Amino acid sequence: MKSVIVRASQVAVAVVAVGVMSMKAPAQTATFNGTASEQWSNSANWSPAGVLSGTGAHALINSQTSSLLRLLYTSGSFSTQPAVQMGAITFLSTLANTSGTVTGTFNVQNNSAGTKGTLRLYGVDTTVDGLSRRFIIVNSSTMANVQFTQSNAGQDFELFTNGAVHVTAGTQLTLTPLIRNGGTTAQSITKTGLGLLTLSSSAQMSTYSGGFTLDGGIVQFANSGTAQANTPFGIGPLTLRSGTIRSTTATGRSFNVPLVLDGSVTLGSTDPAFNGTITVNSQGGTLATTVASDSVVTIVAGGSTAWNQSTSGAGSITKAGTGLLRFTPLSTLTHTGSTVVQEGTLIMSGSLTSASAVTVLSGALLTGTGGIAGATTILAGGTFSPGATSGAVGLFSFGSGGLTLAGQTLLEFSGTGTARGIDFDAVNLDGNIAYGGGLSLALTGTTYGDNTALKLFDFAGGASGSFSSVTASGLYGPLTFTNEGSGVWTSGATNVPGQTLTFTESTGVLSVVPEPSAVALGGLGVAAAAFVQWRRAGHRRRARRAGAAG
């Protein structure tokens, strides 16, 4: 690190080169070297000498001899007690512990055992890692972790600006304080940098109301908080622009704030230490999601996210990652941009009521028991299977936009009756259906009586196209149907004696058909029974006549 410091009337202007950080003339800058008992309030710890404090002050933390910084909030060195006013705090890349290495943790704590402290942050305009904006906390240290702790009486933060918390790639910053608005103005925090920001379980839940934006790196949180009261992200909207959000453990966490989708975000982690599920709560419908721009939501492999919030906005949603995303019955989706299932599974148990076009790409699965109003296309290699989960049957509804099938359509039969969506998978359409790809029937529930008709597809519009194949498994199969022409598929002999199956595309009906031989035998049986009855009746008549003659 190289520093050139010019002082005039107690105002210092610094030009600092730390990695890729540069200063843009803040009102006052000083470096904390921490050589005298790690006390912030000891002027000997600062270069230039004098305790740094003030709304435009920028503290550069660069201790080489200690892994601890003690803030005695009740110190007479601070003009506002028991609070410290500060523009921004930066932990430099050269920060080290007592052995001169960068292993271990650097702690910032309240040194008072009896008075809780408040750090008031006003922001400093500068450039860090090529980003020019207002920052409040920057961690460029490569120590294992830099953290604000709740040791002794603890500490809170107050925001008097909309500021960024920047964590440089390869570094970690942990915040435990409650963060609240300074004064009556709603303030916000933006997380920048590729490093890891931890919102610790020891933190009291925050109440600042301007919102939290994830704009790079990883954020992990350990407590979900309470909607409209306090959460680790405050009580304003959580904007997901770039980066990853995960649990601090294998325990599931919830977003209890309204969401804004404005870029690309990954939810969850494949690391067993951080793979807790992420849930998007709606708080009884009072929390909603705005799709501000075309956005990608990635659910990691093995991960599962239940999205309870309704959506609005003009942006599109692309579901990426091999994990599972479920729009629950609590969610009414009205965003008007497209909806794409790029990878993994999308369970649509809510209702997509806008004209948003839905596309399921190769390798992806659309399932559920909800509804989609707009045009839906299952591309080659994609799969459509109604039902809440695999093996659970259900009814899926499509609106006037219709359904185009070019991938695999899987319908399951697991009940013992003929109720659509209860005993077998079924599809309702207010518009047209275009058949294509393969139809697979999993007949595992029961066998049916002769002439049973099961309406798999009920469409108000017309039917076009044709499946490329129809197969069945389970009690009747395995079967490969034959296209007899005009969209009529017949199974041939099945595992159920005397029955065959027919699927007719123009009606969407699967029929159980008695085999002709069985019909013929049935007819012979009826005739034979009638003949026996006729002979018996004749014997009875003759017996009555003989008795009368005697």
Side-chain angles (χ1 to χ4, degrees), residues 21 66 98 143 159 164 183 189 199 275 279 281 370 380-381 399 422 433 436 456 508 527 550:
M21 183 182 74
S66 174
T98 52
M143 296 191 73
L159 297 180
I189 292 176
L199 303 174
N275 66 357
T279 299
N281 280 344
I422 298 175
I433 185 169
L456 309 186

Side-chain angles (χ1 to χ4, degrees), residues 91-304:
F91 300 91
L92 300 181
S93 60
T94 49
L95 183 68
N97 63 19
T98 52
S99 62
T101 68
V102 294
T103 59
T105 299
F106 188 86
N107 295 316
V108 181
Q109 70 177 49
N110 183 359
N111 205 39
S112 171
T115 303
K116 189 171 188 177
T118 299
L119 179 60
R120 294 175 173 169
L121 295 163
Y122 292 82
V124 169
D125 295 326
T126 186
T127 300
V128 180
D129 287 349
L131 298 174
S132 297
R133 61 194 312 157
R134 177 159 292 185
F135 292 92
I136 54 175
I137 299 175
V138 176
N139 182 32
S140 295
S141 167
T142 55
M143 296 191 73
N145 189 13
V146 173
Q147 59 181 1
F148 288 81
T149 76
Q150 294 301 315
S151 298
N152 297 321
Q155 55 187 321
D156 293 343
F157 286 175
E158 282 187 354
L159 297 180
F160 287 84
T161 188
N162 298 322
V165 174
H166 186 86
V167 189
T168 299
T171 71
Q172 180 174 346
L173 174 68
T174 297
L175 300 181
T176 66
L178 179 153
I179 307 173
R180 56 178 175 263
N181 294 324
T184 59
T185 303
Q187 306 294 356
S188 66
I189 292 176
T190 298
K191 157 62 171 72
T192 59
L194 298 179
L196 169 63
L197 173 64
T198 299
L199 303 174
S200 173
S201 60
S202 63
Q204 301 178 61
M205 295 294 96
S206 295
T207 60
Y208 65 96
S209 55
F212 182 99
T213 298
L214 173 61
D215 200 7
I218 301 173
V219 170
Q220 60 186 28
F221 64 111
N223 195 324
S224 302
T226 303
Q228 300 170 329
N230 47 54
T231 83
F233 308 101
I235 60 174
L238 171 58
T239 299
L240 304 176
R241 187 166 293 154
S242 174
T244 296
I245 291 191
R246 69 189 190 191
S247 170
T248 55
T249 65
T251 301
R253 312 287 180 213
S254 297
F255 295 144
N256 286 320
V257 291
L259 263 60
V260 178
L261 296 178
D262 194 25
S264 299
V265 65
T266 297
L267 301 182
S269 172
T270 57
D271 188 325
F274 307 105
N275 66 357
T277 59
I278 303 295
T279 299
V280 181
N281 280 344
S282 69
Q283 190 67 12
T286 61
L287 304 177
T289 296
T290 301
V291 187
S293 67
D294 294 346
S295 299
V296 178
V297 178
T298 299
I299 311 298
V300 299
S304 175

Side-chain angles (χ1 to χ4, degrees), residues 51 76 93 176 247 279 283 291 343 376 416 433 446 462 464 517 524:
V51 178
S93 60
T176 66
S247 170
T279 299
Q283 190 67 12
V291 187
E343 298 175 276
T376 301
T416 58
I433 185 169
T446 185
S464 62
S517 58
L524 290 174

Side-chain angles (χ1 to χ4, degrees), residues 353-376:
T353 61
S354 70
S356 173
V358 177
T359 305
V360 180
L361 305 187
S362 178
L365 167 66
L366 172 65
T367 184
T369 55
I372 297 173
T376 301

